[in-house]
Structure formats: structure tokens, C-alpha cells
Amino acid sequence: MKITVLNGSPKGITSVTMQYVHYISKEFPQHELKILNISQRLRKIEKDAQAFQDILDEISSSDGILWASPVYYLLVPANYKRFIELISEKGAGDVFHNKYTAFLTTSIHFFDHTAHNYMNAVCDDLNMRYIGSFSADMYDLRKPEERERLRLFAGNFFDTIGNNAPILKSYLPLTWRNFKYTYGEAKSKTDAGNKKVLIVTDSENQQTNLGRMIERFKASFSTEIEMINLRDLHIKGSCLGCIHCGYDNQCVYEGKDDYIDFYNTKVKTADILIWAGRIKDRYLSARWKTFFDRSFFNGHTPSLIGKQIGFIISGPLSQIPNLRQALEAYVEIQHANPVGFVTDEYGDSTEIDSLLQNFGKCLVQFANSGYVRPNTFLSVGGRKLFRDDIWGRLRFPFRADYVAYKKLGAYDFPQKEYKTRIQNAIMLLLSKLPSFRKEINKRMKKEMIKPLQKVLEK
Ligand SMILES: Cc1cc2nc3c(=O)[nH]c(=O)nc-3n(C[C@H](O)[C@H](O)[C@H](O)COP(=O)(O)O)c2cc1C
């Protein structure tokens, strides 16, 4: 069997993920796995029609396609995302039709599921036959039981193709609304006071729903609102995954393009951030993905603490809960407040006008009161994962994070709670007595609310 492997790592063959592909090749020498470096060669693939055609030819002559990529910011790297966009821009979807496919990632399991959901949906949209996905931790390959797991996954992949087995699709196609938003005059104006509002967008054209929603949002304020278009910035490329920033947050692109300065002087200094974009496939644009990927120079340290962040989105967001979750998670993990979304999916222009008007008001109110909504599992879970890895196995390459986490008091390991540990030890010992357990069972509900009642009695 011939399998084309589409490599998503910007590091090309010097990639952690590719070591997993090599392992599959080693275990299944009867099959040919041909690796194509997509992310690393994206610029050439984008500009040179023959380079893109060569990839299509490989895919055409393959029995299966293995998408293999690191997880970058809850998805795949920006260049890989751009390649996916090129497939539809260049009308090359037919080449992918009916091809069996699977998705292999390496990561530290931080929102690997959103990356997997995304690729599954993209493959369903391309009418591919998505066999399944495999999410390996970066260093799983060192463990015999994980190698065996990968071998079984790959075996199933080849068998499924060999048996021409039927595959169930997981995602319905998106339906886009045919609607032109036209805005009315803002009758009242919100005063942002001393709060700095910044709109970041990748809008290509002001005469689109997105462009007009941004204009209407700006018009709801009594002062001029700054807007920066990612298309106007000189961004040399996406994150290279080199981790040079791990030591002291210095990016290899520093001084070579506009991104770092823009992030430090504009994004970090705003109180209210509006991120505005149009849905492209199952996410925002690759340009937006570059914005997120390049923010990795901050490592795993939150860089937008306490900011109010809202999204203005054109397109069927409600049909892509995976995107909504990824965006909310990004904001939460930054210790910022995800204020919400305004889209052009529902309602007429008047309703969208009032949503945008109210959005501005809410953002300013929250900024004034310093409100940040309680964390959900998205960041509670994510932060524990980062805490453990930065304290532990990733401390060396991510020294800057290690130091910053210390300052933030992020090493809140439960082992340090000595009072709880003593209480637990006593209770566990006593609970060996049946009479004690009986009494506890009787009082459980009351005891659970006791500490809260103490607060209410104050
Ligand atoms: C810019 C950037 C973003 C990343 N984002 C994530 C992430 O969201 N979740 C995760 O679990 N790992 C994330 N990682 C870690 C990589 O997925 C992991 O190191 C992977 O094994 C690298 O594979 P590669 O060597 O094939 O590129 C990120 C790494 C970089 C450089």
C-alpha cells in the first residue's frame, strides 16, 4: 500500500511527530509511507503551482492519506491550516474525495481533542473516509505499551483500507446563511473612559458583513477606536517551533518583522480586545492562526491577564462548537474574560446592531469593574496540565515559564496543603470503624455545606 503522509510540523523531518511515522514504517515494511513536508514548505506550495500539483499527484496515487502534525494552539500549525485552505481555494477537493485517511498528532495533550475534532471535520468536508485519530504524548514512543498502541492503530488503518470498509461521517456540512448585514446609526454612544479598546481583525474588505459589523461596533463608542488589520502587519512567517523563546521569551523573528512589537505594544496594553474574523473551513483564517501561533513567544505564561476579550465573527459559528470552545479556552487560559461573541448568523440587521451596541457597553462595564468570569474546566484542567509539565519535564526548555509560574503562585500542588493532608489521614483512619462511617454517612450532607454556612453567618 502507498500512504502519503502530510507532515504538519514546521520543523520538517526533524520533527517529534515524524518519529512516530518512522516507527509505523519500521513496523509495517510492506507498506510505503511517503512523507511530504507541508508546513515547512508552505511558502513554496502556496506560490509555486507545480509544487502544489506534485502533492496532489502523490495523493492521487495513494491508497491512504495520513495527516500527521503537532498540535499548535488547540489546532494544527498555521501553515498546515493554510494548506487546507489552499485545497478549496485551488479547487483541488476532488483529489481527496473517498481517500481513506487518519490523523496522528504529538502534543502534551493540551486541547489535542479540538485539533482532532477539527481535522475530522475537515476530512468529512473533503468527503474523505476518516478512519480515526491517534493522539500521542510527545515522548510516548519511549514506552513499549504506547508503541504497541500505535502499532495496533496503524494495523487497523491499513486493514480498514485493505478491506475497503465503510466509514461513518461525524460532521454534517456547514450551511452558510445568505444574508447581507446593513447597519443603522448608533443612537447612543458608549464612553470607554480610560479603557483602551483595540480591534484586531484580518478583514479583507470593509464591504462584507464582517467589515460592516466592525464599523457598527466602532460607531457605538463616543471616541475613536483603534483597529489593527493583521493583513497590514509585516509578519514574516508562522511559529517555527524552535523553542528559542523558552529561555527568555526572545523570539527568533524579533526585530525582523512587526509581530512581537505589535503584540507587546498594542495587544498587551489594551484593556478590551475585540478579535474579529470570518470563518474559513472550520476555524478562522490561517492569518488568525498565525496570530495565535506566534504568541507562543510568551510560552505557557498568560500574557493577557484581566483583559476583556470579545469576538465578532462572520459565519456559522454555532455549527462549530469546537471553534467556540477553542477560542474560549484560549481566552480563559490567558486569565482573561471571554465576554462573548457577536455573529451574523441570526437576526436581522437591527438585532445585530443592538447586539453590537450592547457588546461595547458590556465590555466597558466589565473592564471598569474588573470582572473575569469563573474558570471552567477549559482552564482549570489546562492550567494543572501546564503547571505539572512546567514544574517537571518541560522546566529546562521553558525556563521563562518556570520563573513566571513561580511569581504567579502557579505551583499550587495539593501536596502542599498540610492541614488537608492531616485531616484526610485522620478521617481515613477513623473511617475504618463501622460506627464512625455510619455517623459520617448520616451527617455527610450537613457537613458538606458547613464551611459555606460559616461564610453566610458572617
Ligand atoms: C507554537 C506551539 C504551540 C503548541 N501548542 C500546543 C497545544 O495547544 N497543545 C499541546 O498539547 N501541545 C502544544 N505544543 C507542543 C507540540 O504539539 C509538541 O511539542 C509536538 O510534539 C511537536 O511536534 P513536532 O516536533 O512534530 O513539531 C505547541 C508547540 C508550539 C511550538
Side-chain angles (χ1 to χ4, degrees):
M1 240 175 245
K2 180 187 163 187
I3 306 296
T4 295
V5 179
L6 300 173
N7 178 10
S9 177
K11 296 185 266 175
I13 51 160
T14 324
S15 137
V16 169
T17 317
M18 286 310 108
Q19 310 317 305
Y20 290 71
V21 173
H22 294 325
Y23 182 74
I24 298 173
S25 290
K26 209 172 136 219
E27 288 295 303
F28 296 89
Q30 67 276 36
H31 302 305
E32 183 200 352
L33 273 77
K34 183 152 188 195
I35 298 174
L36 305 182
N37 294 323
I38 299 297
S39 290
Q40 194 186 42
R41 294 183 63 242
L42 195 268
R43 200 160 294 162
K44 178 144 179 79
I45 296 166
E46 200 172 19
K47 287 200 178 125
D48 179 345
Q50 191 52 50
F52 187 72
Q53 188 55 46
D54 290 346
I55 296 169
L56 297 186
D57 292 345
E58 287 293 346
I59 289 169
S60 257
S61 62
S62 299
D63 302 289
I65 311 300
L66 182 63
W67 300 86
S69 174
V71 175
Y72 268 22
Y73 277 103
L74 313 88
L75 207 88
V76 293
N79 283 1
Y80 213 44
K81 167 81 177 59
R82 180 67 193 133
F83 175 72
I84 292 163
E85 290 176 8
L86 288 177
I87 297 170
S88 57
E89 276 174 31
K90 292 180 182 278
D94 282 357
V95 180
F96 293 78
H97 279 192
N98 273 332
K99 291 280 177 198
Y100 279 104
T101 189
F103 184 39
L104 164 70
T105 60
T106 64
S107 71
I108 59 167
H109 292 305
F110 176 75
F111 286 86
D112 47 350
H113 68 291
T114 44
H116 285 248
N117 292 340
Y118 169 75
M119 282 308 301
N120 190 350
V122 163
C123 291
D124 282 0
D125 289 344
L126 285 168
N127 276 315
M128 299 182 84
R129 293 193 271 184
Y130 192 83
I131 298 171
S133 62
F134 192 93
S135 176
D137 176 87
M138 284 180 75
Y139 290 112
D140 271 352
L141 201 59
R142 294 192 301 188
K143 300 178 191 152
E145 68 276 18
E146 295 302 334
R147 290 198 291 273
E148 176 60 5
R149 203 198 295 269
L150 181 61
R151 206 183 59 76
L152 292 173
F153 173 78
N156 177 63
F157 177 62
F158 297 126
D159 287 349
T160 308
I161 300 174
N163 297 333
N164 196 24
I167 300 288
L168 177 75
K169 280 210 185 338
S170 301
Y171 294 90
L172 285 170
L174 298 175
T175 49
W176 283 74
R177 181 187 189 201
N178 186 9
F179 163 73
K180 184 177 174 190
Y181 166 65
T182 46
Y183 60 88
E185 202 188 318
K187 296 204 176 76
S188 62
K189 299 272 182 186
T190 299
D191 180 3
N194 62 354
K195 299 298 172 199
K196 196 180 147 200
V197 185
L198 174 70
I199 301 171
V200 181
T201 185
D202 64 340
S203 174
E204 289 171 62
N205 180 349
Q206 267 192 309
Q207 293 316 313
T208 54
N209 280 1
L210 178 64
R212 288 187 288 265
M213 285 198 291
I214 294 170
E215 282 312 305
R216 177 61 182 81
F217 178 76
K218 282 164 78 179
S220 64
F221 288 88
S222 55
T223 45
E224 186 66 27
I225 300 300
E226 187 176 9
M227 181 174 90
I228 294 179
N229 195 318
L230 295 171
R231 292 179 181 280
D232 297 336
L233 296 180
H234 170 49
I235 300 178
K236 252 188 131 177
S238 197
C239 176
L240 302 169
C242 65
I243 320 288
H244 287 199
C245 56
Y247 186 78
D248 56 2
N249 301 127
Q250 295 290 304
C251 176
V252 289
Y253 285 113
E254 196 139 3
K256 294 185 182 140
D257 72 7
D258 294 341
Y259 184 86
I260 307 285
D261 190 50
F262 149 72
Y263 197 91
N264 285 334
T265 62
K266 296 292 182 182
V267 178
K268 280 188 185 168
T269 58
D271 302 292
I272 297 170
L273 286 158
I274 299 298
W275 291 345
R278 187 170 190 271
I279 285 170
K280 256 196 172 177
D281 56 66
R282 299 273 176 160
Y283 192 77
L284 301 173
S285 68
R287 192 83 181 165
W288 257 115
K289 189 62 180 43
T290 301
F291 168 87
F292 291 120
D293 288 5
R294 284 287 303 273
S295 73
F296 195 66
F297 78 93
N298 296 294
H300 305 79
T301 302
S303 59
L304 306 175
I305 297 175
K307 300 195 187 302
Q308 305 297 326
I309 303 185
F311 294 89
I312 296 178
I313 290 180
S314 176
L317 179 69
S318 69
Q319 295 169 50
I320 320 172
N322 194 55
L323 169 57
R324 198 182 165 111
Q325 187 184 117
L327 295 175
E328 283 189 330
Y330 181 86
V331 175
E332 266 198 29
I333 212 80
Q334 294 292 334
H335 297 211
N337 190 30
V339 179
F341 298 83
V342 175
T343 75
D344 56 357
E345 288 186 277
Y346 300 109
D348 57 19
S349 293
T350 319
E351 282 171 271
I352 295 173
D353 279 356
S354 41
L355 283 170
L356 289 166
Q357 182 76 36
N358 191 51
F359 204 30
K361 212 167 105 188
C362 275
L363 284 154
V364 172
Q365 267 170 7
F366 287 155
N368 285 335
S369 63
Y371 175 71
V372 174
R373 80 172 195 198
N375 292 316
T376 67
F377 178 75
L378 302 176
S379 57
V380 175
R383 256 182 236 148
K384 284 182 198 283
L385 192 155
F386 283 169
R387 176 196 66 185
D388 288 5
D389 271 355
I390 296 300
W391 188 86
R393 62 177 180 163
L394 299 182
R395 186 189 303 194
F396 155 63
F398 292 105
R399 171 197 166 270
D401 282 334
Y402 177 73
V403 174
Y405 275 28
K406 240 184 179 174
K407 281 193 195 134
L408 284 169
Y411 300 123
D412 53 353
F413 299 105
Q415 292 91 322
K416 288 184 186 167
E417 292 165 19
Y418 292 103
K419 197 177 150 202
T420 312
R421 286 174 67 179
I422 293 165
Q423 271 173 355
N424 281 337
I426 295 169
M427 295 305 266
L428 282 167
L429 197 68
L430 288 172
S431 62
K432 285 187 177 160
L433 302 168
S435 57
F436 182 81
R437 277 210 311 279
K438 204 170 157 198
E439 184 60 20
I440 285 288
N441 288 343
K442 209 168 82 190
R443 286 167 43 181
M444 186 62 87
K445 284 196 266 183
K446 273 192 183 163
E447 293 297 327
M448 273 171 79
I449 60 169
K450 241 184 186 171
L452 306 175
Q453 282 176 327
K454 274 190 197 153
V455 178
L456 297 173
E457 279 159 12
K458 274 184 196 163

